[in-house]
PDB file of all heavy atoms in Angstrom:
ATOM      1  N   VAL J   1       0.833  -1.193   0.000  1.00 48.00           N
ATOM      2  CA  VAL J   1       0.000   0.000   0.000  1.00 48.00           C
ATOM      3  C   VAL J   1       0.872   1.249   0.000  1.00 48.00           C
ATOM      4  O   VAL J   1       0.511   2.268  -0.561  1.00 48.00           O
ATOM      5  CB  VAL J   1      -0.945  -0.002   1.217  1.00 48.00           C
ATOM      6  CG1 VAL J   1      -1.722   1.305   1.310  1.00 48.00           C
ATOM      7  CG2 VAL J   1      -1.908  -1.163   1.114  1.00 48.00           C
ATOM      8  N   LEU J   2       2.023   1.144   0.648  1.00 51.00           N
ATOM      9  CA  LEU J   2       2.904   2.304   0.732  1.00 51.00           C
ATOM     10  C   LEU J   2       3.401   2.687  -0.661  1.00 51.00           C
ATOM     11  O   LEU J   2       3.549   1.845  -1.542  1.00 51.00           O
ATOM     12  CB  LEU J   2       4.100   2.001   1.632  1.00 51.00           C
ATOM     13  CG  LEU J   2       3.765   1.652   3.078  1.00 51.00           C
ATOM     14  CD1 LEU J   2       5.033   1.280   3.814  1.00 51.00           C
ATOM     15  CD2 LEU J   2       3.074   2.812   3.761  1.00 51.00           C
ATOM     16  N   ILE J   3       3.653   3.948  -0.844  1.00 55.00           N
ATOM     17  CA  ILE J   3       4.139   4.428  -2.140  1.00 55.00           C
ATOM     18  C   ILE J   3       5.540   3.877  -2.366  1.00 55.00           C
ATOM     19  O   ILE J   3       6.414   3.995  -1.504  1.00 55.00           O
ATOM     20  CB  ILE J   3       4.163   5.971  -2.173  1.00 55.00           C
ATOM     21  CG1 ILE J   3       2.744   6.499  -2.005  1.00 55.00           C
ATOM     22  CG2 ILE J   3       4.795   6.482  -3.454  1.00 55.00           C
ATOM     23  CD1 ILE J   3       2.653   8.000  -1.869  1.00 55.00           C
ATOM     24  N   PRO J   4       5.778   3.268  -3.523  1.00 54.00           N
ATOM     25  CA  PRO J   4       7.121   2.736  -3.800  1.00 54.00           C
ATOM     26  C   PRO J   4       8.129   3.870  -3.950  1.00 54.00           C
ATOM     27  O   PRO J   4       7.750   5.016  -4.200  1.00 54.00           O
ATOM     28  CB  PRO J   4       6.938   1.974  -5.113  1.00 54.00           C
ATOM     29  CG  PRO J   4       5.756   2.599  -5.753  1.00 54.00           C
ATOM     30  CD  PRO J   4       4.872   3.071  -4.636  1.00 54.00           C
ATOM     31  N   GLU J   5       9.370   3.515  -3.818  1.00 61.00           N
ATOM     32  CA  GLU J   5      10.432   4.509  -3.924  1.00 61.00           C
ATOM     33  C   GLU J   5      10.476   5.057  -5.347  1.00 61.00           C
ATOM     34  O   GLU J   5      10.546   4.310  -6.318  1.00 61.00           O
ATOM     35  CB  GLU J   5      11.783   3.881  -3.578  1.00 61.00           C
ATOM     36  CG  GLU J   5      12.925   4.860  -3.621  1.00 61.00           C
ATOM     37  CD  GLU J   5      14.253   4.221  -3.272  1.00 61.00           C
ATOM     38  OE1 GLU J   5      14.259   3.228  -2.541  1.00 61.00           O
ATOM     39  OE2 GLU J   5      15.271   4.722  -3.764  1.00 61.00           O
ATOM     40  N   ILE J   6      10.407   6.365  -5.447  1.00 57.00           N
ATOM     41  CA  ILE J   6      10.452   7.013  -6.757  1.00 57.00           C
ATOM     42  C   ILE J   6      11.716   7.854  -6.807  1.00 57.00           C
ATOM     43  O   ILE J   6      11.979   8.660  -5.919  1.00 57.00           O
ATOM     44  CB  ILE J   6       9.217   7.909  -6.976  1.00 57.00           C
ATOM     45  CG1 ILE J   6       7.945   7.063  -6.931  1.00 57.00           C
ATOM     46  CG2 ILE J   6       9.323   8.645  -8.302  1.00 57.00           C
ATOM     47  CD1 ILE J   6       6.673   7.876  -6.974  1.00 57.00           C
ATOM     48  N   ASN J   7      12.503   7.658  -7.848  1.00 60.00           N
ATOM     49  CA  ASN J   7      13.750   8.391  -7.990  1.00 60.00           C
ATOM     50  C   ASN J   7      13.642   9.305  -9.206  1.00 60.00           C
ATOM     51  O   ASN J   7      13.928   8.901 -10.321  1.00 60.00           O
ATOM     52  CB  ASN J   7      14.921   7.416  -8.142  1.00 60.00           C
ATOM     53  CG  ASN J   7      16.251   8.138  -8.148  1.00 60.00           C
ATOM     54  OD1 ASN J   7      16.312   9.334  -7.908  1.00 60.00           O
ATOM     55  ND2 ASN J   7      17.313   7.414  -8.432  1.00 60.00           N
ATOM     56  N   LEU J   8      13.208  10.542  -8.957  1.00 58.00           N
ATOM     57  CA  LEU J   8      13.093  11.511 -10.049  1.00 58.00           C
ATOM     58  C   LEU J   8      14.380  12.297 -10.241  1.00 58.00           C
ATOM     59  O   LEU J   8      14.486  13.086 -11.161  1.00 58.00           O
ATOM     60  CB  LEU J   8      11.931  12.472  -9.773  1.00 58.00           C
ATOM     61  CG  LEU J   8      10.555  11.821  -9.693  1.00 58.00           C
ATOM     62  CD1 LEU J   8       9.508  12.868  -9.342  1.00 58.00           C
ATOM     63  CD2 LEU J   8      10.202  11.140 -10.997  1.00 58.00           C
ATOM     64  N   ASN J   9      15.328  12.098  -9.371  1.00 62.00           N
ATOM     65  CA  ASN J   9      16.594  12.831  -9.457  1.00 62.00           C
ATOM     66  C   ASN J   9      17.639  12.084 -10.260  1.00 62.00           C
ATOM     67  O   ASN J   9      18.813  12.401 -10.188  1.00 62.00           O
ATOM     68  CB  ASN J   9      17.136  13.123  -8.051  1.00 62.00           C
ATOM     69  CG  ASN J   9      16.229  14.049  -7.287  1.00 62.00           C
ATOM     70  OD1 ASN J   9      15.610  14.915  -7.869  1.00 62.00           O
ATOM     71  ND2 ASN J   9      16.134  13.841  -5.987  1.00 62.00           N
ATOM     72  N   ASP J  10      17.216  11.082 -10.998  1.00 58.00           N
ATOM     73  CA  ASP J  10      18.151  10.315 -11.814  1.00 58.00           C
ATOM     74  C   ASP J  10      18.597  11.201 -12.974  1.00 58.00           C
ATOM     75  O   ASP J  10      17.845  11.431 -13.912  1.00 58.00           O
ATOM     76  CB  ASP J  10      17.463   9.046 -12.324  1.00 58.00           C
ATOM     77  CG  ASP J  10      18.464   8.030 -12.831  1.00 58.00           C
ATOM     78  OD1 ASP J  10      19.668   8.225 -12.611  1.00 58.00           O
ATOM     79  OD2 ASP J  10      18.037   7.048 -13.454  1.00 58.00           O
ATOM     80  N   THR J  11      19.795  11.739 -12.875  1.00 62.00           N
ATOM     81  CA  THR J  11      20.264  12.691 -13.869  1.00 62.00           C
ATOM     82  C   THR J  11      21.341  12.075 -14.737  1.00 62.00           C
ATOM     83  O   THR J  11      21.742  10.932 -14.549  1.00 62.00           O
ATOM     84  CB  THR J  11      20.852  13.936 -13.169  1.00 62.00           C
ATOM     85  OG1 THR J  11      21.974  13.513 -12.385  1.00 62.00           O
ATOM     86  CG2 THR J  11      19.819  14.620 -12.296  1.00 62.00           C
ATOM     87  N   PHE J  12      21.810  12.850 -15.672  1.00 59.00           N
ATOM     88  CA  PHE J  12      22.861  12.400 -16.575  1.00 59.00           C
ATOM     89  C   PHE J  12      24.230  12.878 -16.080  1.00 59.00           C
ATOM     90  O   PHE J  12      25.089  13.246 -16.866  1.00 59.00           O
ATOM     91  CB  PHE J  12      22.592  12.937 -17.983  1.00 59.00           C
ATOM     92  CG  PHE J  12      21.568  12.140 -18.731  1.00 59.00           C
ATOM     93  CD1 PHE J  12      20.218  12.369 -18.548  1.00 59.00           C
ATOM     94  CD2 PHE J  12      21.955  11.156 -19.614  1.00 59.00           C
ATOM     95  CE1 PHE J  12      19.274  11.632 -19.238  1.00 59.00           C
ATOM     96  CE2 PHE J  12      21.014  10.416 -20.307  1.00 59.00           C
ATOM     97  CZ  PHE J  12      19.671  10.650 -20.124  1.00 59.00           C
ATOM     98  N   ASP J  13      24.425  12.865 -14.762  1.00 63.00           N
ATOM     99  CA  ASP J  13      25.698  13.310 -14.199  1.00 63.00           C
ATOM    100  C   ASP J  13      26.866  12.467 -14.699  1.00 63.00           C
ATOM    101  O   ASP J  13      27.989  12.941 -14.769  1.00 63.00           O
ATOM    102  CB  ASP J  13      25.658  13.275 -12.666  1.00 63.00           C
ATOM    103  CG  ASP J  13      24.761  14.368 -12.112  1.00 63.00           C
ATOM    104  OD1 ASP J  13      24.454  15.314 -12.857  1.00 63.00           O
ATOM    105  OD2 ASP J  13      24.360  14.273 -10.944  1.00 63.00           O
ATOM    106  N   THR J  14      26.581  11.214 -15.021  1.00 64.00           N
ATOM    107  CA  THR J  14      27.664  10.359 -15.518  1.00 64.00           C
ATOM    108  C   THR J  14      28.120  10.806 -16.897  1.00 64.00           C
ATOM    109  O   THR J  14      29.159  10.381 -17.367  1.00 64.00           O
ATOM    110  CB  THR J  14      27.214   8.895 -15.588  1.00 64.00           C
ATOM    111  OG1 THR J  14      26.036   8.828 -16.397  1.00 64.00           O
ATOM    112  CG2 THR J  14      26.935   8.336 -14.213  1.00 64.00           C
ATOM    113  N   PHE J  15      27.335  11.683 -17.525  1.00 68.00           N
ATOM    114  CA  PHE J  15      27.690  12.158 -18.851  1.00 68.00           C
ATOM    115  C   PHE J  15      28.128  13.618 -18.821  1.00 68.00           C
ATOM    116  O   PHE J  15      27.947  14.330 -19.793  1.00 68.00           O
ATOM    117  CB  PHE J  15      26.506  11.989 -19.808  1.00 68.00           C
ATOM    118  CG  PHE J  15      26.180  10.556 -20.081  1.00 68.00           C
ATOM    119  CD1 PHE J  15      25.068   9.969 -19.511  1.00 68.00           C
ATOM    120  CD2 PHE J  15      26.982   9.782 -20.894  1.00 68.00           C
ATOM    121  CE1 PHE J  15      24.752   8.654 -19.759  1.00 68.00           C
ATOM    122  CE2 PHE J  15      26.686   8.462 -21.141  1.00 68.00           C
ATOM    123  CZ  PHE J  15      25.567   7.894 -20.580  1.00 68.00           C
ATOM    124  N   ALA J  16      28.646  14.057 -17.707  1.00 77.00           N
ATOM    125  CA  ALA J  16      29.123  15.436 -17.613  1.00 77.00           C
ATOM    126  C   ALA J  16      30.307  15.605 -18.558  1.00 77.00           C
ATOM    127  O   ALA J  16      31.263  14.843 -18.520  1.00 77.00           O
ATOM    128  CB  ALA J  16      29.530  15.751 -16.180  1.00 77.00           C
ATOM    129  N   LEU J  17      30.211  16.583 -19.421  1.00 81.00           N
ATOM    130  CA  LEU J  17      31.259  16.823 -20.404  1.00 81.00           C
ATOM    131  C   LEU J  17      31.937  18.146 -20.114  1.00 81.00           C
ATOM    132  O   LEU J  17      31.282  19.146 -19.845  1.00 81.00           O
ATOM    133  CB  LEU J  17      30.651  16.858 -21.817  1.00 81.00           C
ATOM    134  CG  LEU J  17      29.952  15.584 -22.258  1.00 81.00           C
ATOM    135  CD1 LEU J  17      29.241  15.807 -23.593  1.00 81.00           C
ATOM    136  CD2 LEU J  17      30.941  14.452 -22.396  1.00 81.00           C
ATOM    137  N   ASP J  18      33.248  18.144 -20.171  1.00 85.00           N
ATOM    138  CA  ASP J  18      34.018  19.364 -19.953  1.00 85.00           C
ATOM    139  C   ASP J  18      35.072  19.451 -21.053  1.00 85.00           C
ATOM    140  O   ASP J  18      36.035  18.680 -21.063  1.00 85.00           O
ATOM    141  CB  ASP J  18      34.672  19.348 -18.579  1.00 85.00           C
ATOM    142  CG  ASP J  18      35.464  20.617 -18.300  1.00 85.00           C
ATOM    143  OD1 ASP J  18      35.313  21.605 -19.064  1.00 85.00           O
ATOM    144  OD2 ASP J  18      36.234  20.638 -17.327  1.00 85.00           O
ATOM    145  N   PHE J  19      34.863  20.360 -21.980  1.00 87.00           N
ATOM    146  CA  PHE J  19      35.784  20.515 -23.104  1.00 87.00           C
ATOM    147  C   PHE J  19      36.689  21.728 -22.937  1.00 87.00           C
ATOM    148  O   PHE J  19      37.280  22.192 -23.898  1.00 87.00           O
ATOM    149  CB  PHE J  19      34.990  20.661 -24.413  1.00 87.00           C
ATOM    150  CG  PHE J  19      34.258  19.415 -24.807  1.00 87.00           C
ATOM    151  CD1 PHE J  19      32.880  19.372 -24.775  1.00 87.00           C
ATOM    152  CD2 PHE J  19      34.951  18.290 -25.192  1.00 87.00           C
ATOM    153  CE1 PHE J  19      32.197  18.227 -25.144  1.00 87.00           C
ATOM    154  CE2 PHE J  19      34.282  17.143 -25.554  1.00 87.00           C
ATOM    155  CZ  PHE J  19      32.902  17.102 -25.536  1.00 87.00           C
ATOM    156  N   THR J  20      36.820  22.221 -21.724  1.00 88.00           N
ATOM    157  CA  THR J  20      37.616  23.423 -21.473  1.00 88.00           C
ATOM    158  C   THR J  20      39.054  23.252 -21.958  1.00 88.00           C
ATOM    159  O   THR J  20      39.593  24.106 -22.668  1.00 88.00           O
ATOM    160  CB  THR J  20      37.604  23.755 -19.965  1.00 88.00           C
ATOM    161  OG1 THR J  20      36.251  23.807 -19.525  1.00 88.00           O
ATOM    162  CG2 THR J  20      38.292  25.068 -19.691  1.00 88.00           C
ATOM    163  N   ARG J  21      39.666  22.137 -21.570  1.00 88.00           N
ATOM    164  CA  ARG J  21      41.066  21.896 -21.943  1.00 88.00           C
ATOM    165  C   ARG J  21      41.213  21.788 -23.454  1.00 88.00           C
ATOM    166  O   ARG J  21      42.116  22.385 -24.048  1.00 88.00           O
ATOM    167  CB  ARG J  21      41.555  20.616 -21.260  1.00 88.00           C
ATOM    168  CG  ARG J  21      43.015  20.293 -21.501  1.00 88.00           C
ATOM    169  CD  ARG J  21      43.408  19.043 -20.740  1.00 88.00           C
ATOM    170  NE  ARG J  21      42.497  17.959 -21.025  1.00 88.00           N
ATOM    171  CZ  ARG J  21      42.846  16.816 -21.615  1.00 88.00           C
ATOM    172  NH1 ARG J  21      44.090  16.593 -21.934  1.00 88.00           N
ATOM    173  NH2 ARG J  21      41.963  15.885 -21.877  1.00 88.00           N
ATOM    174  N   GLU J  22      40.300  21.052 -24.097  1.00 88.00           N
ATOM    175  CA  GLU J  22      40.374  20.858 -25.536  1.00 88.00           C
ATOM    176  C   GLU J  22      40.168  22.178 -26.285  1.00 88.00           C
ATOM    177  O   GLU J  22      40.839  22.454 -27.274  1.00 88.00           O
ATOM    178  CB  GLU J  22      39.333  19.824 -25.991  1.00 88.00           C
ATOM    179  CG  GLU J  22      39.650  18.401 -25.575  1.00 88.00           C
ATOM    180  CD  GLU J  22      39.317  18.084 -24.119  1.00 88.00           C
ATOM    181  OE1 GLU J  22      38.742  18.961 -23.422  1.00 88.00           O
ATOM    182  OE2 GLU J  22      39.643  16.976 -23.671  1.00 88.00           O
ATOM    183  N   LYS J  23      39.242  23.007 -25.783  1.00 88.00           N
ATOM    184  CA  LYS J  23      39.006  24.300 -26.419  1.00 88.00           C
ATOM    185  C   LYS J  23      40.251  25.172 -26.336  1.00 88.00           C
ATOM    186  O   LYS J  23      40.635  25.821 -27.314  1.00 88.00           O
ATOM    187  CB  LYS J  23      37.826  25.014 -25.755  1.00 88.00           C
ATOM    188  CG  LYS J  23      36.478  24.425 -26.113  1.00 88.00           C
ATOM    189  CD  LYS J  23      35.366  25.134 -25.354  1.00 88.00           C
ATOM    190  CE  LYS J  23      34.031  24.475 -25.602  1.00 88.00           C
ATOM    191  NZ  LYS J  23      32.956  25.080 -24.793  1.00 88.00           N
ATOM    192  N   LYS J  24      40.888  25.171 -25.165  1.00 86.00           N
ATOM    193  CA  LYS J  24      42.110  25.968 -25.006  1.00 86.00           C
ATOM    194  C   LYS J  24      43.196  25.482 -25.952  1.00 86.00           C
ATOM    195  O   LYS J  24      43.905  26.283 -26.562  1.00 86.00           O
ATOM    196  CB  LYS J  24      42.602  25.917 -23.561  1.00 86.00           C
ATOM    197  CG  LYS J  24      41.796  26.768 -22.626  1.00 86.00           C
ATOM    198  CD  LYS J  24      42.343  26.710 -21.216  1.00 86.00           C
ATOM    199  CE  LYS J  24      41.467  27.517 -20.269  1.00 86.00           C
ATOM    200  NZ  LYS J  24      41.913  27.414 -18.887  1.00 86.00           N
ATOM    201  N   LEU J  25      43.333  24.155 -26.059  1.00 84.00           N
ATOM    202  CA  LEU J  25      44.347  23.609 -26.963  1.00 84.00           C
ATOM    203  C   LEU J  25      44.065  24.004 -28.414  1.00 84.00           C
ATOM    204  O   LEU J  25      44.979  24.374 -29.148  1.00 84.00           O
ATOM    205  CB  LEU J  25      44.387  22.075 -26.853  1.00 84.00           C
ATOM    206  CG  LEU J  25      45.017  21.511 -25.580  1.00 84.00           C
ATOM    207  CD1 LEU J  25      44.819  20.006 -25.509  1.00 84.00           C
ATOM    208  CD2 LEU J  25      46.497  21.846 -25.533  1.00 84.00           C
ATOM    209  N   LEU J  26      42.810  23.934 -28.810  1.00 85.00           N
ATOM    210  CA  LEU J  26      42.464  24.304 -30.182  1.00 85.00           C
ATOM    211  C   LEU J  26      42.652  25.799 -30.423  1.00 85.00           C
ATOM    212  O   LEU J  26      43.081  26.208 -31.503  1.00 85.00           O
ATOM    213  CB  LEU J  26      41.028  23.881 -30.509  1.00 85.00           C
ATOM    214  CG  LEU J  26      40.823  22.376 -30.672  1.00 85.00           C
ATOM    215  CD1 LEU J  26      39.341  22.057 -30.816  1.00 85.00           C
ATOM    216  CD2 LEU J  26      41.604  21.832 -31.850  1.00 85.00           C
ATOM    217  N   GLU J  27      42.340  26.616 -29.417  1.00 84.00           N
ATOM    218  CA  GLU J  27      42.521  28.054 -29.564  1.00 84.00           C
ATOM    219  C   GLU J  27      44.001  28.422 -29.657  1.00 84.00           C
ATOM    220  O   GLU J  27      44.356  29.418 -30.283  1.00 84.00           O
ATOM    221  CB  GLU J  27      41.871  28.793 -28.397  1.00 84.00           C
ATOM    222  CG  GLU J  27      40.357  28.785 -28.470  1.00 84.00           C
ATOM    223  CD  GLU J  27      39.696  29.280 -27.193  1.00 84.00           C
ATOM    224  OE1 GLU J  27      40.403  29.533 -26.194  1.00 84.00           O
ATOM    225  OE2 GLU J  27      38.457  29.390 -27.193  1.00 84.00           O
ATOM    226  N   CYS J  28      44.860  27.624 -29.064  1.00 80.00           N
ATOM    227  CA  CYS J  28      46.301  27.893 -29.086  1.00 80.00           C
ATOM    228  C   CYS J  28      46.983  27.261 -30.291  1.00 80.00           C
ATOM    229  O   CYS J  28      48.200  27.371 -30.437  1.00 80.00           O
ATOM    230  CB  CYS J  28      46.961  27.382 -27.805  1.00 80.00           C
ATOM    231  SG  CYS J  28      46.423  28.260 -26.335  1.00 80.00           S
ATOM    232  N   LEU J  29      46.217  26.606 -31.135  1.00 79.00           N
ATOM    233  CA  LEU J  29      46.771  25.926 -32.301  1.00 79.00           C
ATOM    234  C   LEU J  29      47.471  26.943 -33.195  1.00 79.00           C
ATOM    235  O   LEU J  29      46.884  27.941 -33.602  1.00 79.00           O
ATOM    236  CB  LEU J  29      45.631  25.236 -33.066  1.00 79.00           C
ATOM    237  CG  LEU J  29      46.007  24.247 -34.146  1.00 79.00           C
ATOM    238  CD1 LEU J  29      46.760  23.075 -33.522  1.00 79.00           C
ATOM    239  CD2 LEU J  29      44.765  23.739 -34.829  1.00 79.00           C
ATOM    240  N   ASP J  30      48.739  26.711 -33.469  1.00 77.00           N
ATOM    241  CA  ASP J  30      49.528  27.636 -34.274  1.00 77.00           C
ATOM    242  C   ASP J  30      50.745  26.901 -34.803  1.00 77.00           C
ATOM    243  O   ASP J  30      50.972  25.732 -34.487  1.00 77.00           O
ATOM    244  CB  ASP J  30      49.956  28.838 -33.421  1.00 77.00           C
ATOM    245  CG  ASP J  30      50.284  30.058 -34.275  1.00 77.00           C
ATOM    246  OD1 ASP J  30      50.280  29.949 -35.523  1.00 77.00           O
ATOM    247  OD2 ASP J  30      50.542  31.118 -33.692  1.00 77.00           O
ATOM    248  N   TYR J  31      51.543  27.581 -35.583  1.00 74.00           N
ATOM    249  CA  TYR J  31      52.790  26.998 -36.064  1.00 74.00           C
ATOM    250  C   TYR J  31      53.696  26.675 -34.894  1.00 74.00           C
ATOM    251  O   TYR J  31      53.701  27.386 -33.886  1.00 74.00           O
ATOM    252  CB  TYR J  31      53.553  27.994 -36.949  1.00 74.00           C
ATOM    253  CG  TYR J  31      53.038  28.085 -38.355  1.00 74.00           C
ATOM    254  CD1 TYR J  31      52.331  29.202 -38.774  1.00 74.00           C
ATOM    255  CD2 TYR J  31      53.269  27.071 -39.270  1.00 74.00           C
ATOM    256  CE1 TYR J  31      51.859  29.305 -40.067  1.00 74.00           C
ATOM    257  CE2 TYR J  31      52.796  27.168 -40.556  1.00 74.00           C
ATOM    258  CZ  TYR J  31      52.097  28.285 -40.952  1.00 74.00           C
ATOM    259  OH  TYR J  31      51.636  28.374 -42.217  1.00 74.00           O
ATOM    260  N   LEU J  32      54.463  25.624 -35.035  1.00 71.00           N
ATOM    261  CA  LEU J  32      55.495  25.355 -34.045  1.00 71.00           C
ATOM    262  C   LEU J  32      56.639  26.309 -34.316  1.00 71.00           C
ATOM    263  O   LEU J  32      57.019  26.529 -35.463  1.00 71.00           O
ATOM    264  CB  LEU J  32      55.994  23.912 -34.156  1.00 71.00           C
ATOM    265  CG  LEU J  32      55.012  22.827 -33.764  1.00 71.00           C
ATOM    266  CD1 LEU J  32      55.626  21.460 -34.005  1.00 71.00           C
ATOM    267  CD2 LEU J  32      54.657  22.967 -32.301  1.00 71.00           C
ATOM    268  N   THR J  33      57.173  26.882 -33.270  1.00 70.00           N
ATOM    269  CA  THR J  33      58.306  27.774 -33.429  1.00 70.00           C
ATOM    270  C   THR J  33      59.475  27.213 -32.645  1.00 70.00           C
ATOM    271  O   THR J  33      59.292  26.508 -31.650  1.00 70.00           O
ATOM    272  CB  THR J  33      57.979  29.187 -32.899  1.00 70.00           C
ATOM    273  OG1 THR J  33      57.537  29.074 -31.559  1.00 70.00           O
ATOM    274  CG2 THR J  33      56.898  29.842 -33.729  1.00 70.00           C
ATOM    275  N   ALA J  34      60.656  27.534 -33.120  1.00 71.00           N
ATOM    276  CA  ALA J  34      61.861  27.049 -32.453  1.00 71.00           C
ATOM    277  C   ALA J  34      61.994  27.756 -31.108  1.00 71.00           C
ATOM    278  O   ALA J  34      61.616  28.922 -30.964  1.00 71.00           O
ATOM    279  CB  ALA J  34      63.084  27.329 -33.309  1.00 71.00           C
ATOM    280  N   PRO J  35      62.503  27.068 -30.126  1.00 72.00           N
ATOM    281  CA  PRO J  35      62.677  27.711 -28.825  1.00 72.00           C
ATOM    282  C   PRO J  35      63.762  28.780 -28.883  1.00 72.00           C
ATOM    283  O   PRO J  35      64.643  28.748 -29.738  1.00 72.00           O
ATOM    284  CB  PRO J  35      63.094  26.555 -27.912  1.00 72.00           C
ATOM    285  CG  PRO J  35      63.646  25.522 -28.820  1.00 72.00           C
ATOM    286  CD  PRO J  35      62.926  25.676 -30.125  1.00 72.00           C
ATOM    287  N   ASN J  36      63.664  29.718 -27.974  1.00 76.00           N
ATOM    288  CA  ASN J  36      64.692  30.755 -27.887  1.00 76.00           C
ATOM    289  C   ASN J  36      65.995  30.124 -27.425  1.00 76.00           C
ATOM    290  O   ASN J  36      65.988  29.159 -26.644  1.00 76.00           O
ATOM    291  CB  ASN J  36      64.261  31.838 -26.903  1.00 76.00           C
ATOM    292  CG  ASN J  36      63.040  32.585 -27.389  1.00 76.00           C
ATOM    293  OD1 ASN J  36      62.849  32.753 -28.587  1.00 76.00           O
ATOM    294  ND2 ASN J  36      62.196  33.025 -26.466  1.00 76.00           N
ATOM    295  N   PRO J  37      67.104  30.663 -27.871  1.00 78.00           N
ATOM    296  CA  PRO J  37      68.381  30.100 -27.412  1.00 78.00           C
ATOM    297  C   PRO J  37      68.566  30.362 -25.921  1.00 78.00           C
ATOM    298  O   PRO J  37      68.032  31.327 -25.381  1.00 78.00           O
ATOM    299  CB  PRO J  37      69.425  30.852 -28.243  1.00 78.00           C
ATOM    300  CG  PRO J  37      68.753  32.105 -28.666  1.00 78.00           C
ATOM    301  CD  PRO J  37      67.286  31.778 -28.784  1.00 78.00           C
ATOM    302  N   PRO J  38      69.322  29.515 -25.256  1.00 81.00           N
ATOM    303  CA  PRO J  38      69.521  29.718 -23.824  1.00 81.00           C
ATOM    304  C   PRO J  38      70.439  30.916 -23.568  1.00 81.00           C
ATOM    305  O   PRO J  38      71.182  31.347 -24.427  1.00 81.00           O
ATOM    306  CB  PRO J  38      70.191  28.419 -23.387  1.00 81.00           C
ATOM    307  CG  PRO J  38      70.909  27.949 -24.596  1.00 81.00           C
ATOM    308  CD  PRO J  38      70.049  28.357 -25.764  1.00 81.00           C
ATOM    309  N   THR J  39      70.389  31.407 -22.346  1.00 83.00           N
ATOM    310  CA  THR J  39      71.262  32.493 -21.922  1.00 83.00           C
ATOM    311  C   THR J  39      72.403  31.881 -21.124  1.00 83.00           C
ATOM    312  O   THR J  39      72.171  31.197 -20.121  1.00 83.00           O
ATOM    313  CB  THR J  39      70.486  33.485 -21.028  1.00 83.00           C
ATOM    314  OG1 THR J  39      69.331  33.936 -21.748  1.00 83.00           O
ATOM    315  CG2 THR J  39      71.342  34.660 -20.630  1.00 83.00           C
ATOM    316  N   ILE J  40      73.620  32.081 -21.602  1.00 83.00           N
ATOM    317  CA  ILE J  40      74.800  31.548 -20.916  1.00 83.00           C
ATOM    318  C   ILE J  40      75.035  32.384 -19.665  1.00 83.00           C
ATOM    319  O   ILE J  40      75.066  33.609 -19.708  1.00 83.00           O
ATOM    320  CB  ILE J  40      76.054  31.603 -21.823  1.00 83.00           C
ATOM    321  CG1 ILE J  40      75.816  30.868 -23.151  1.00 83.00           C
ATOM    322  CG2 ILE J  40      77.271  31.052 -21.083  1.00 83.00           C
ATOM    323  CD1 ILE J  40      75.628  29.387 -23.031  1.00 83.00           C
TER     324      ILE J  40
END
């Protein structure tokens, strides 16, 4: 008779996507340049 357990908070938290790092990498995409020479 009691109301069965209802879980309406079942979210898609397992599918949380964070593309922050990838976006930064793509925004920094550029030619490779040679490193500056060292300072003796």
Side-chain angles (χ1 to χ4, degrees):
V1 174
L2 299 176
I3 298 174
E5 182 180 333
I6 299 173
N7 186 7
L8 298 177
N9 295 327
D10 196 10
T11 62
F12 280 83
D13 289 343
T14 56
F15 293 106
L17 300 173
D18 181 13
F19 292 112
T20 307
R21 183 178 52 117
E22 289 79 5
K23 286 177 185 175
K24 284 181 183 176
L25 287 172
L26 288 173
E27 287 169 354
C28 294
L29 192 63
D30 202 355
Y31 280 107
L32 292 177
T33 55
N36 295 328
T39 305
I40 304 294

